[in-house]
Amino acid sequence: MRFNAKDLALLAKRPSGCFDKEGKLKICRVVGDEKLIEPRERWCRLKGNLLFLMKNKSSEASEVVILERCWVVEFRSKTDVSIILKFQSGEPDLYLEAASKSDCEAWAVALGEANSEGLRNKIQQLRKLIMEIKEERTSDEARQFLPSSQVDTLGEPQFTSIQRIANEPKLEFSLACKGLVAATRDRKLNTFIQVSVVHPAEHILTRYSSTEIVEGTRDPLFLTGVTFPPEYPIYEETKIKLTVYDVKDKSQDTVRTSVLPDHKEPRADTGRSFLGCTTFRVGDLVKSKEQQLTLTLRTSDGGKTVGTIEVNLVKMGEFEDGEMDHITTDAQDQKFLCFLPLKSCSCGFLSATCAHNTENLERMTDRRAKEECALVRECTAPEGLSGKDNLPSLNAVLKNPICKLYRFPTSDNKWMRIREQMAETTLSFHVPKELINLHIKEDMRRNQELKDLGELAPHWDNMRKSVIAHCDQMLSMYQDTLAELGKHTGSSFKSSCSKGEKTLEFIPINLHLQRMHVHSPRLKDALYDVITVGAPAAHFQGFKNGGLRKLLSKFEAERRNTGYQCIYYSPENTAKAKEVLSNINHLQPLISSHADLLLNSASQHSPDSLKNSLKMLSEKTELFVHAFKDQLVRSALLALYTARPGCVLKKPAVPRSSAEEGDDLKHQDHPSQIKRQDSIPHHSEYDEEEWDRVWANVGKSLNCVIAMVDRLLEKDNSSKIKEGESDPSAADCKVLHAGGDWYEQLYPLVITLKDCMGEVVTRAKQSMAFVLLQELACGLPQCLMLTLRRDIVFSQALAGLVCGFIIKLHTSLHDQGFLQQLHTVGLLVQYEGLLSTYSEEAGMLEDMAVGISDLQKVMFKVIEAKSEDFLPIITGRREHYVIEVQLPAKMFELLPQEIKEGKLLRMYPVLFNVGINEQQTLAERFGDTTLQENINQENLELLKEYYNLFTEKMPPDCLPHFQEQNDLKGLLENLHQNIQAKRRKNVEIMWLAATICRKLNGVRFTCCKSAKDRTSMSVTLEQCSILRDEHQLHKDFFIRALDCMRRQTQGALNESDDPETGCLTDNKPTSRHFYPVALLLVSSHLLVVWLILSLALLLAKYQ
């Protein structure tokens, strides 16, 4: 090409306002990865497709670069401010370095639009804009002929909604192409379809999703469909654009990045070429008689036909006859491509906006990985799959659903359809906030109890002051964390890149629900759910000294050797002290209220009400008395007395049997025989039998109240009989007079009962608070830090458990066998762990094991919702929590009577862990796997315990029926043998545990470090296995289905589409992120060779 040098020099010297962009850049030529010279600063001016390079702003142009047949590559790290121009001619690349990141991005966009192709894109967009303006003018002209009143009622444009079932996607369709034309006759096409949406109100083209790549055919049939979730704003007037691309260079397609605005088409030189496109209205597809459109694909100028594309409307539950004929002839020979994972690329294929925000790249991969998780729990609730009654309560827990649609062939040449749905849960933040609030109240109450111990000897008083000071610091930390969580806005889950943030340490990582709805032509519809979450662990505190399992064991050993400084109480005694204090705080107000009701019934002279009040008072008082039968209270009172200044022991205690204590309660029937005791003496003699007398007085007072009530009722009955025979009116007057007598006779007895109970409460509270003082003083500050760590891990584990229970309850409301199992035996919760036993992950596994074990102390209770707030309510204390799950009235009526009456539902959590990554290979070769073996063995015993309870209390027909029923006893024995075998990376343990869980109606969890790669690889493989084994997936399509589900979507995402930024817009991302299976099954022999070679290189380097 020939140029006029004078004209170019004149153009370069024009005023600044005449150029598209200008500024300082450092420039040099690059061959491969090596720069020919050091970058030199140049003044650059861009005009059209000409880039002028000048030494300074006033000098002449020293070089002119023609921006044709080249592409822009931008480096996407946070610190890099450089871009490279690559030329198809093979000449050296041009390296451009800007002064700042924003300047670099601006130059990248300007250079990307500077060639003739960019000009053609602008012309094309202008043509579209002109057509849209013409359409708007036509509608405006039509409005001029309407009456003014009718025009006013029109207001904003009205769009026609699509009719759909509640909670179902608005629109779903599948795609297939025929007769695609290649650029050369002998080329085999590797095609995919990019789906974009034109919103009728905004007239903006938004990239939505894309299919998988189908290789080696001109008639591709795509297994991945397109689905729009229920809240997506799509109408009959919405237009959908389908663009077909041919992938030329598959390796470069995921590496090169062309910085383009959202409405621009990618250039053909980025590893793929544009074949054709077409557009259709949603209303045309929905209203078509055959629910199908056959569209013609044309080139961008609209002149050449390059094939056809078929769009089939999909409705779950409906099948077309003969649909498999196409697949048996064409699809068997097609090859499907799974993209390389995003982490293996230097820069992903993203949109311009997302390219400008590289810090979101890692956070995007979390959500992409989450979308791939398999759904491995069958839920038999056909009547409730799309019911409207459970929508409000489910919507209160789940949000931001993302859907994917697939169609896979079955072994009998029919189509089955699979809808995959992922949803966040509001419980990720709700449960931890409720839990922290309970911790704050419990710790404040404990601190007050320590202050109420009274006067102590100097040694113990100093110890108490130190403990209270440390407890106040921890309390302040909890309060600060709760305040920070209250300020949180944005997404309702914590991404893996935030796992080290202190303010979010109570929040579970990547907690999501994964659901798969399978519709087979000859089988019953099925739902499979799994909860995926990062391993519950204290990431902020780190794992330098191990996890909770090791730290608790070490702490307990150190406490035994504390010497004279404090009194050692075992963990069992400490837990008993906490239980006694909890019972006191719970029962004392109940007894007081029932005593007041008894007096009220006496004043009203109501015999029936008096009997009921006495019955409730007796039950609660007996529970109160039995709560202090433990020897711990007596010994703690003695220890507390010795801690007082100037204590003197009167005589040794004589143990009394429970039979003797019971006899005292029976023979005492009058309040005059009860001698009131003073508070614990400080400078006087202490009788160790004093507590027995004080404690027994409560029972004696209750017996006095019971005897008096019986006497009053007996007299009332006899007087009624006598007076009724003589004079009825006189009997009524006698009753009125007797009402006052009842109250006057019961009042002193009730007051005595309250006083005795208050005396017991004061002494018991002080003694149990003294026990807690010893626990805290023996391990400051380690004790409080371990409590904090345990609270953090438990909070993460509990949030997932609550989510799993609520989802399981909603999907199984019509399964009477499951509901019977729930209140008779309890719910099995199986955690599948994929953590290694090497380095930090060993500490995570220790945290996770303790956190899941602590879930045994959680009970659930189902209540009827009294308002529109369906979020669960958490009550209780450490070591004992009750989760109240609220259901709407219509759903609550479906429950068995036992559950409706408030029966507490037990949980049986079990954890089976098998490390599968390369770090586990190191642990098996050079480390220790004892931790994993012990955890699996312990949880096998728990699983056997649940199985024995199940077989004892439940009929055999309650088990879910699969096509081939295996004997559960045989599966357990097989699991036992595999755990005892201690084979390396024995994934058979996971398969067996998951199978047993499904057969026992359990809830399935899958966890790894961040609930991304390993979690996704494991559960997607299991998902496809379920489709093959339970739904007759065609054996030749197993790998294709697996690749399709594990693929990373070709196309682009906008910044607003990043689910982890908390700004989910209408354009839902459907991208995926996975490593190949081979990366998880690393050969141990190759790894050893790699280690030897690395060691040799290190030795050679430092010699």
Side-chain angles (χ1 to χ4, degrees), residues 295-306:
L295 308 172
T296 301
L297 289 170
R298 297 185 181 275
T299 55
S300 57
D301 58 4
K304 184 180 178 181
T305 301
V306 293

Side-chain angles (χ1 to χ4, degrees), residues 689-969:
E689 295 183 356
E690 182 183 14
W691 166 249
D692 296 329
R693 293 191 294 271
V694 172
W695 168 69
N697 282 345
V698 177
K700 294 175 183 179
S701 300
L702 177 64
N703 287 338
C704 293
V705 173
I706 295 174
M708 180 58 70
V709 171
D710 291 340
R711 203 175 299 132
L712 292 174
L713 292 176
E714 184 179 355
K715 290 181 180 179
D716 181 67
N717 291 332
S718 60
S719 63
K720 280 185 178 180
I721 294 174
K722 293 180 180 179
E723 296 295 335
E725 293 175 353
S726 59
D727 187 2
S729 60
D732 295 338
C733 296
K734 187 71 176 178
V735 167
L736 293 175
H737 178 70
D741 293 342
W742 282 15
Y743 181 85
E744 292 173 358
Q745 295 182 57
L746 280 176
Y747 179 77
L749 300 180
V750 171
I751 294 301
T752 302
L753 175 63
K754 288 184 176 182
D755 291 343
C756 292
M757 184 179 63
E759 183 71 17
V760 171
V761 166
T762 301
R763 293 169 180 262
K765 270 191 172 183
Q766 289 183 342
S767 63
M768 295 299 97
F770 189 73
V771 173
L772 298 184
L773 175 64
Q774 307 308 308
E775 179 202 23
L776 296 170
C778 288
L780 284 179
Q782 292 86 353
C783 178
L784 294 177
M785 294 306 298
L786 282 177
T787 302
L788 173 63
R789 188 183 189 104
R790 199 165 188 170
D791 288 344
I792 291 170
V793 175
F794 178 77
S795 172
Q796 298 178 24
L798 182 63
L801 176 64
V802 175
C803 177
F805 177 86
I806 292 176
I807 298 304
K808 180 66 175 177
L809 182 63
H810 279 76
T811 54
S812 304
L813 275 175
H814 298 271
D815 187 349
Q816 295 302 319
F818 167 77
L819 296 176
Q820 181 184 355
Q821 174 187 349
L822 185 61
H823 71 79
T824 305
V825 184
L827 182 64
L828 177 65
V829 184
Q830 188 249 328
Y831 288 81
E832 176 182 304
L834 303 170
L835 294 171
S836 69
T837 55
Y838 182 80
S839 186
E840 286 191 346
E841 290 199 7
M844 297 178 200
L845 182 57
E846 290 180 350
D847 277 358
M848 183 180 180
V850 174
I852 292 175
S853 177
D854 287 345
L855 294 177
Q856 299 178 39
K857 303 163 186 175
V858 177
M859 309 286 278
F860 280 81
K861 181 180 179 182
V862 184
I863 62 175
E864 184 178 353
K866 303 300 182 183
S867 65
E868 296 299 321
D869 184 9
F870 299 104
L871 290 174
I873 303 169
I874 304 178
T875 58
R877 57 175 176 83
R878 292 183 180 93
E879 313 295 335
H880 180 72
Y881 288 101
V882 176
I883 314 298
E884 297 182 354
V885 177
Q886 303 185 80
L887 290 182
K890 291 183 180 180
M891 298 176 64
F892 188 76
E893 290 301 320
L894 299 175
L895 298 174
Q897 190 62 32
E898 294 85 351
I899 298 180
K900 288 195 286 187
E901 290 175 354
K903 184 176 182 179
L904 295 180
L905 311 175
R906 287 198 60 185
M907 300 294 109
Y908 290 86
V910 293
L911 166 65
F912 293 96
N913 186 86
V914 176
I916 59 174
N917 63 350
E918 64 279 4
Q919 288 189 341
Q920 183 63 22
T921 304
L922 291 174
E924 292 171 346
R925 285 286 184 180
F926 312 110
D928 185 16
T929 60
T930 307
L931 173 63
Q932 176 176 284
E933 295 166 3
N934 292 340
I935 289 175
N936 291 342
Q937 184 62 45
E938 293 167 5
N939 285 273
L940 175 63
E941 299 303 321
L942 295 175
L943 184 59
K944 288 181 177 179
E945 177 186 344
Y946 181 84
Y947 170 72
N948 292 333
L949 285 173
F950 184 90
T951 53
E952 290 174 7
K953 299 182 178 181
M954 295 295 296
D957 56 354
C958 288
L959 293 175
H961 293 282
F962 288 82
Q963 294 175 10
E964 297 180 4
Q965 272 287 357
N966 293 317
D967 181 45
L968 271 172
K969 189 174 182 180

Side-chain angles (χ1 to χ4, degrees), residues 236-272:
E236 291 187 6
E237 292 80 8
T238 303
K239 293 182 180 180
I240 294 179
K241 180 180 179 182
L242 306 175
T243 308
V244 183
Y245 291 99
D246 174 24
V247 179
K248 294 181 178 179
D249 189 347
K250 294 177 287 297
S251 62
Q252 293 183 358
D253 189 57
T254 56
V255 177
R256 292 180 180 172
T257 300
S258 181
V259 183
L260 295 172
D262 292 342
H263 58 274
K264 300 293 183 181
E265 293 295 341
R267 295 206 302 270
D269 53 10
T270 59
R272 64 181 184 176

